[in-house]
């Protein structure tokens, strides 16, 4: 924990990484990213002049520069002027206030970029420090300093260590403690991921870091800190400090993921070079050990969403038989029967921001004598087929409805519920938000009672889905 | 619902309220607020040169201008360039995509300022629209437009109506629907508020607004919209549209609150004039009907936290007897007994931002033969005494510990858990965050087992407290 030498952190505090802040350089850096994104879109076989994605290079460049603004921020600027004199105990035995009174800020929602694959990952940050020298820090600064390091290409343990050391340098307290709960979306290389609507296969890690009195993880101060975050739902038994020998947490580096990556097809070197130029323009060294393989891993992720990925994703679509029919959702509606398939998971990529969105699809349809219900696995294949593209949720919803409608006699309703990474990791940072879209065909368009019957049967999300 | 005439909204879309955006005017407006805040601090009998509050006028001015930036934002700028062509259904009966496919964004966390008392209130916003003309809006814009109107002095129904009408003008859809869940902190004028750790006495209201196909609240489209937010925990049965005859929701205007306000003492006209000048500098008309009484209501709130408010808040402190002793929390520790009082609610005002923070205090102490336990109501009075000031949480924690320590033999632990409005309504907007501070005296400072025993007995917050 906190094993950084002071020298490197003085540099950090002085000037972030380097003082590239003038408008011209910002413009140049954005232009580099825009050019690179055009290469990526072409690699995905998209028409870069199509209206929906014409401005995508601009949006991606803006979002990426903002999302990595931590490289250009100085901890010193944030902490300065926010240290307040605060008395400790007068002459009693003990600790309180500005001399030893532990301060903790819990449940700070942050977003960071995975240095291994360039995808955003979610962080719930708990930060504490023990004041010394009769000085306390304005509470919001604990969040702002954490965000300086989250807004970079990161790895959870390094993020924890850097926040810890920077706060220690900035506040000069008796010690700083950090616990991070990090969540990484899975790579869509393996089938099991997609049959999992409950985020069971999401990659989660709990890391900690400590300086000063928190340097030793058996210290009494750690017991206090963990007690005070435990009843906020943190499984403190599982807090661990990552060892240098631990494998990388990013799913892009798991052996399974590497094995199936050959399905993606031959590597597109132009795309890889483009991603390397993006990394450089963010202020990072693309040759840093942890970043060398990042461009190819990001391209591998992206290639899941190429427009012509028909064969891989839809194998068995046209000849798909009726399998594992779930009749639990059947309701009799006069002559026709309402069938429903709930919670079909999907993954997609927002064409406006090149960021993932994911969620579940609920499908309802009426069938009479002449038609048979469609099996769940065929519906799931159709959902994946339209998911694995550059998409918008409205179109995905319509396309699924239009595809299944002729197979089923025309009375179809489709509801898509999703979380959009672009709503969370970019500008507006609306962590708890979710979207719902709906398509209604045939009788569902005109018969309110039938539609309501389906909508009311949509199950509530579990708490893990709501996260 | 949506009963605004188009004319007024064209003006809104064109130029917000008026084009006061140059740096000089911004500087002037901030200076007006800073001067006004100095008057308020003096009215609270504070030394405006004390280090903790020396920069408070600067911080309040910055936060207030940012928090009301909606007056200077144009909906047109946000929506323009974010409308994307999106096909509807080809030639089938029904609605989907860019022609009739309902789009909903749920659970947008926003903050607004109550026009009746100037305190921030929390908003959970659900917004939907039915696309028309084969065009859809970028999802994040629904959040950004909602925020333009939230970042003003508001009242829930007007906020809903304004967002609705602005989106309708901006997107030209078939209709727009809004449901807002608004929460207002109570005024600390009445005792019951403070014995309520579960936010039961918080003021909550659920309002809705609709345009186009949502104009009629019995329309089928409303049924769809409500179905799709219902399973996110919205009690749709209680959605109501406020009538013009309804009383104002703000607790500052309740008859009870008005009755007890005489306790605050004579009105300070200098303070009231100062608040009126703040309202004007935000770009509002202090003579608008709904704002005429706002300065005196805000001053009434603020005067709860004047430094010399000793008599009102601490009556009975020195002569306080031992009452309603709760012995459930007693644990034997060798010769001494651990007593604890959990979840004593408190209210305070952050001296850095003049914004409320509130939460609960947990107190533990060891007593042996010579001392008697302190009654809960006396502890509660001590907590309120130190709460009702301009404060920082670290100091509040220390002061409570120092006060009760000599009464109890010296072995005392105090934990304060709080939500800070300044962490949520200002810049960093960390909605779920909470803080914990701790003071340990006597044996609690040295005996880890005793300390851990107390910390582990702190009850988990209920879900309503976590909100």
């Amino acid at each position: 924990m906190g094993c950084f030498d002071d020298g490197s952190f003085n540099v950090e505090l002085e000037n972030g990484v380097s003082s590239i802040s003038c408008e011209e350089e910002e413009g140049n850096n954005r232009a580099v990213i825009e050019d690179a994104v055009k290469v990526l879109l072409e690699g995905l076989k998209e028409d870069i002049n199509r209206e929906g994605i014409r401005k995508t290079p601009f949006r991606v460049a803006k979002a990426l520069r903002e999302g990595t603004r931590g490289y250009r921020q100085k901890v010193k600027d944030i902490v300065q002027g926010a240290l307040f004199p605060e008395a400790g105990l007068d002459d009693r035995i003990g600790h309180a206030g500005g001399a030893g009174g532990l301060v903790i800020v819990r449940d700070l929602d942050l977003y960071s970029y995975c240095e291994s694959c360039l995808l955003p990952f979610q962080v719930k940050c708990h930060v504490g420090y023990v004041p010394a020298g009769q000085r306390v820090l304005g509470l919001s600064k604990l969040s702002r300093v954490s965000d300086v390091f989250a807004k970079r290409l990161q790895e959870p343990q390094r993020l924890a260590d850097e926040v810890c050391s920077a706060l220690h340098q900035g506040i000069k307290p008796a010690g700083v403690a950090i616990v991070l709960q990090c969540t990484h979306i899975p790579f869509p290389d393996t089938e099991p991921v997609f049959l999992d609507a409950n985020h069971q296969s999401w990659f989660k890690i709990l890391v900690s870091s400590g300086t000063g009195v928190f340097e030793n993880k058996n210290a009494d101060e750690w017991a206090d800190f963990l007690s005070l975050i435990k009843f906020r739902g943190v499984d403190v038994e599982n807090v661990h400090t990552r060892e240098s020998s631990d494998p990388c947490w990013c799913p892009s580096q798991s052996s399974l993921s590497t094995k199936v990556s050959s399905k993606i097809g031959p590597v597109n070197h132009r795309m890889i070079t483009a991603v390397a130029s993006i990394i450089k323009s963010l202020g990072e060294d693309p040759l840093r050990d942890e970043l060398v393989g990042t461009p190819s891993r990001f391209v591998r992720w992206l290639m899941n969403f190429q427009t012509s990925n028909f064969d891989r994703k839809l194998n068995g679509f046209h000849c798909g038989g009726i399998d594992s029919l779930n009749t639990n959702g059947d309701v009799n509606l006069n002559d026709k029967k309402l069938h429903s398939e709930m919670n079909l998971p999907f993954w997609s990529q927002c064409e406006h921001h090149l960021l993932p969105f994911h969620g579940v699809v609920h499908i309802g349809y009426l069938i009479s004598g002449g038609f048979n219900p469609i099996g769940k696995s065929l519906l799931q294949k159709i959902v994946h087929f339209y998911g694995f593209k550059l998409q918008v949720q409205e179109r995905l919803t319509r396309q699924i409805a239009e595809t299944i409608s002729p197979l089923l006699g025309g009375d179809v309703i489709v509801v898509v519920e999703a979380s959009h990474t672009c709503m969370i990791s970019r500008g507006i940072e609306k962590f708890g938000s979710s979207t719902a879209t709906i398509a209604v065909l045939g009788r569902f368009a005109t018969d309110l009672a039938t539609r309501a019957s389906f909508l009311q049967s949509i199950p509530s999300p579990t708490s893990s889905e709501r996260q």
Side-chain angles (χ1 to χ4, degrees), chain A residues 60-77:
Chain A
V60 173
K62 186 162 176 275
L64 264 178
R65 289 292 293 176
E66 280 177 11
T68 56
R69 62 171 180 267
Y71 288 117
R72 302 177 294 283
Q73 289 177 316
K74 301 174 193 176
V75 171
K76 215 176 189 175
D77 292 345

Side-chain angles (χ1 to χ4, degrees), chain A residues 30-31 33-35 37-38 41 53-65 352-353:
Chain A
R30 285 209 190 177
I33 300 177
E34 290 188 33
D35 289 344
V37 173
K38 283 176 196 161
L41 290 172
I53 60 171
R54 201 163 41 84
K55 288 186 184 165
T56 295
F58 169 81
R59 283 186 289 260
V60 173
K62 186 162 176 275
L64 264 178
R65 289 292 293 176
H352 299 152
H353 302 97

